[in-house]
């Protein structure tokens, strides 16, 4: 659904900030750039060639794409645009772009640090460097890695929706704390800010009239009432 697509992208921005130091505006920039042609974006070429597009929720594999395009028996496929299919795929396509935007921003940020000359290279040249391979691995781990998970939860995943994703999402902040000193300071700052915001909200009696599922699952800011009882 469109609501899930937007929420999923927003959720990915938090671990990208904590683990990769990527600000939401950097993710939004990569989302906008994702609508460019792959041929016009060397960074996106390097990103995919370095393997950073794997272990995702959205997106089809090459074999499925070829099958839907009608490729079989060595048949050459030319123009494959289908208006009906484009309309049906609009939401999943946006979800895929949103999911990859945070990872692409992490990939770019790491390359800026470890391979400053990447802008003067082709996508293939960038992807062939050890810096790009490391940046790709960091990008995959920067948000929920759908390829990770223990045998038990991966086996039960077909019967309990999002079970493995939920478990990996729960473990993500603890992995970040273990692996990155920056993540510790970022999480501490976020925790302090949310604690202060919650204390402020609780100063309004109306705050407790809001349903629990909204108060506990959202970032809320209470505004002074304009009505008098």
């Amino acid at each position: 659904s469109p609501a899930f697509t937007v929420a999923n992208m927003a959720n990915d921005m938090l671990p990208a900030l904590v683990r990769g130091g990527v600000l939401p505006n950097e993710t939004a920039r990569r989302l906008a750039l994702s609508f460019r042609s792959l041929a016009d974006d060397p960074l996106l070429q390097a990103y995919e060639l370095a393997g950073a597009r794997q272990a995702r929720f959205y997106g089809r594999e090459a074999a499925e794409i070829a099958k839907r395009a009608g490729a079989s028996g060595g048949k050459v496929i030319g123009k494959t645009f289908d208006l009906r299919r484009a309309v049906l795929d609009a939401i999943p396509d946006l979800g895929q772009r949103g999911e990859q935007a945070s990872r692409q921003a992490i990939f770019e940020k790491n390359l800026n640090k470890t391979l400053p000359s990447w802008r003067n290279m082709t996508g293939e040249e960038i992807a062939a460097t050890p810096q790009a391979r490391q940046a790709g691995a960091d990008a995959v781990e920067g948000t929920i890695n759908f390829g990770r998970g223990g045998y038990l939860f991966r086996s039960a995943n077909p019967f309990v929706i999002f079970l493995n994703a939920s478990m990996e999402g729960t473990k993500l902040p603890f992995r970040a704390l273990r692996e990155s000193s920056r993540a510790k300071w970022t999480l501490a700052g976020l925790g302090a800010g949310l604690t202060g915001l919650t204390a402020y909200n609780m100063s309004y009696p109306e705050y407790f009239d809001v349903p629990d599922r909204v108060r506990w699952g959202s970032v809320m800011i209470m505004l002074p009432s304009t009505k008098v009882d």
Side-chain angles (χ1 to χ4, degrees):
S1 72
F4 174 80
T5 298
V6 175
N8 189 56
M9 181 178 175
N11 287 336
D12 281 342
M13 287 183 179
L14 180 58
L17 170 65
V18 173
R19 299 198 70 170
V22 170
L23 297 175
N25 64 296
E26 295 175 288
T27 296
R29 174 178 166 274
R30 283 310 312 177
L31 176 62
L33 291 174
S34 71
F35 289 93
R36 297 170 58 187
S37 169
L38 180 63
D40 298 328
D41 193 339
L43 181 81
L44 187 53
Q45 295 171 21
Y47 174 82
E48 297 203 5
L49 289 172
R53 194 170 173 269
Q54 62 181 306
R56 62 196 185 277
F57 176 73
Y58 285 101
R60 297 184 178 88
E61 301 299 333
E64 185 179 356
I65 294 172
K67 180 179 178 181
R68 293 185 62 171
S72 62
K75 181 180 178 182
V76 177
I77 298 298
K79 208 173 175 184
T80 60
F81 179 77
D82 183 336
L83 179 59
R84 182 181 66 86
R85 176 57 57 187
V87 172
L88 293 175
D89 287 348
I91 298 304
D93 180 65
L94 180 60
Q96 180 178 184
R97 294 177 189 276
E99 179 183 35
Q100 295 298 321
S102 292
R103 293 186 177 187
Q104 290 169 16
I106 294 173
F107 184 77
E108 182 177 11
K109 198 176 191 73
N110 286 353
L111 282 185
N112 287 336
K113 292 179 181 178
T114 61
L115 191 67
S117 61
W118 71 265
R119 298 179 190 278
N120 301 319
M121 303 165 66
T122 66
E124 292 86 350
E125 291 171 338
I126 298 169
T129 64
Q131 294 93 330
R133 290 194 291 272
Q134 182 60 54
D138 291 341
V140 172
E141 295 296 336
T143 60
I144 294 179
N145 182 347
F146 284 87
R148 295 187 74 160
Y151 175 78
L152 175 62
F153 290 106
R154 290 176 68 86
S155 299
N157 197 59
F159 308 101
V160 182
I161 188 168
F162 295 135
L163 174 62
N164 192 56
S166 299
M167 294 304 300
E168 289 304 305
T170 301
K171 290 181 278 188
L172 198 59
F174 298 101
R175 288 184 181 137
L177 288 172
R178 181 187 62 195
E179 299 168 2
S180 171
S181 58
R182 176 178 58 193
K184 297 175 183 177
W185 287 105
T186 304
L187 281 173
L190 289 172
L194 287 174
T195 299
L197 178 59
T198 301
Y200 164 78
N201 287 335
M202 291 175 66
S203 67
Y204 291 89
E206 298 87 352
Y207 176 68
F208 297 96
D209 294 332
V210 179
D212 291 344
R213 67 179 185 279
V214 176
R215 285 192 286 123
W216 295 343
S218 309
V219 176
M220 293 181 53
I221 302 177
M222 298 295 293
L223 299 177
S225 175
T226 58
K227 297 180 181 181
V228 178
D229 292 336

